[in-house]
Amino acid sequence: MSEILTIENLTKNYVTQSESLSVLKGVNLSVQAGQRVCVIGESGNGKSTLLNILGGIDSASGGRVVAGPYELTKMGEDELTEYRSKFVGLIFQFHYLLKDFSALENIFLPAYMAGVPKAQAMEKAKKLLADVGLTERADHLPSELSGGERQRIAVARALINDPQLILADEPTGNLDPANAAMIGDLLFDMTRRYNKSLLLVTHDMGLAKKGDRLCEMKDGVLNER
């Protein structure tokens, strides 16, 4: 197995006029291709900060992050845009679907914007929509979908550009227990079906135990459990 993600001594500090806050304190982690790694921890311990850095949304204060051929900690904005478009799929606690576009269009757009021909992008979107069990909701706007359905669309959208790594930040955090369990099962099923690596951040121990490995983030330090 090859490593798909390597994190070495990653730090993140926020500095204000009055204080310096250390959120990540030398995080180390390696993820093998195809592995599903879950990170648990209470709010405020640095889990989302870690995922934002790995997603190319935030920058580190120090350390090194290598994801496939990309060394994030050395890349400029153009390279990070390519990385977000081609290598990672992001799923958040809030679905961030475009409210004026249908379920199918929300899945289709990232592929189309990445340069995939329209017909091919639409075909891929329809297949993923079927995979998450929402073919009959293709023309519905996000406002016409339930919370669980919106998050299923978000899972499909994260896979449309065939990323190698899926980053999921509390993907069940806004859902009731039944929908949370369904989204958790779907996420693991889809990453297994499409042979994707997964780094999942959650405070739900039941969900976290579904992964291949379990880590805990506490006070900005990550330890394997």
Side-chain angles (χ1 to χ4, degrees):
M1 260 192 197
S2 59
E3 282 190 4
I4 196 151
L5 177 66
T6 304
I7 305 169
E8 297 175 349
N9 199 31
L10 189 68
T11 60
K12 179 64 178 180
N13 305 312
Y14 292 99
V15 180
T16 67
Q17 288 183 330
S18 57
E19 62 177 347
S20 176
L21 179 64
S22 182
V23 180
L24 299 178
K25 304 172 182 175
V27 170
N28 294 283
L29 179 69
S30 64
V31 178
Q32 304 296 316
Q35 267 190 338
R36 280 84 55 81
V37 179
C38 296
V39 178
I40 60 164
E42 297 299 320
S43 295
N45 278 280
K47 304 189 309 296
S48 291
T49 300
L50 173 63
L51 243 63
N52 283 339
I53 292 171
L54 300 183
I57 297 166
D58 199 356
S59 59
S61 299
R64 185 168 174 258
V65 176
V66 179
Y70 298 93
E71 186 165 351
L72 273 67
T73 34
K74 287 187 175 180
M75 283 166 21
E77 191 51 49
D78 287 348
E79 292 170 297
L80 287 170
T81 299
E82 178 189 301
Y83 166 77
R84 287 191 296 265
S85 173
K86 293 183 176 180
F87 193 83
V88 288
L90 303 172
I91 305 168
F92 300 97
Q93 184 170 346
F94 186 70
H95 55 80
Y96 292 114
L97 300 180
L98 299 170
K99 65 183 179 67
D100 296 325
F101 291 85
S102 69
L104 181 61
E105 288 167 337
N106 265 283
I107 301 170
F108 155 84
L109 276 169
Y112 185 57
M113 291 173 69
V116 177
K118 187 175 183 179
Q120 185 181 336
M122 187 57 74
E123 204 56 42
K124 288 178 71 177
K126 286 178 179 176
K127 183 179 187 311
L128 283 164
L129 191 66
D131 285 344
V132 298
L134 290 177
T135 296
E136 75 285 357
R137 310 290 268 169
D139 296 328
H140 287 67
L141 296 174
S143 60
E144 300 169 320
L145 301 173
S146 70
E149 287 171 336
R150 288 193 288 264
Q151 204 64 326
R152 279 195 266 172
I153 297 299
V155 170
R157 179 184 58 187
L159 287 161
I160 187 70
N161 283 335
D162 197 27
Q164 297 302 301
L165 175 65
I166 300 292
L167 301 174
D169 188 1
E170 298 281 8
T172 63
N174 280 338
L175 302 175
D176 61 78
N179 271 309
M182 181 269 293
I183 290 295
D185 288 342
L186 176 71
L187 188 53
F188 282 99
D189 176 59
M190 293 288 279
T191 50
R192 186 181 300 111
R193 187 185 310 181
Y194 284 97
N195 194 30
K196 304 302 178 191
S197 308
L198 172 67
L199 186 61
L200 168 69
V201 158
T202 182
H203 63 266
D204 181 346
M205 181 58 87
L207 177 59
K209 285 181 177 177
K210 294 176 185 288
D212 302 315
R213 291 166 57 197
L214 178 61
C215 301
E216 182 174 15
M217 180 77 83
K218 191 169 185 179
D219 295 329
V221 177
L222 188 69
N223 289 301
E224 195 114 8
R225 283 186 47 151

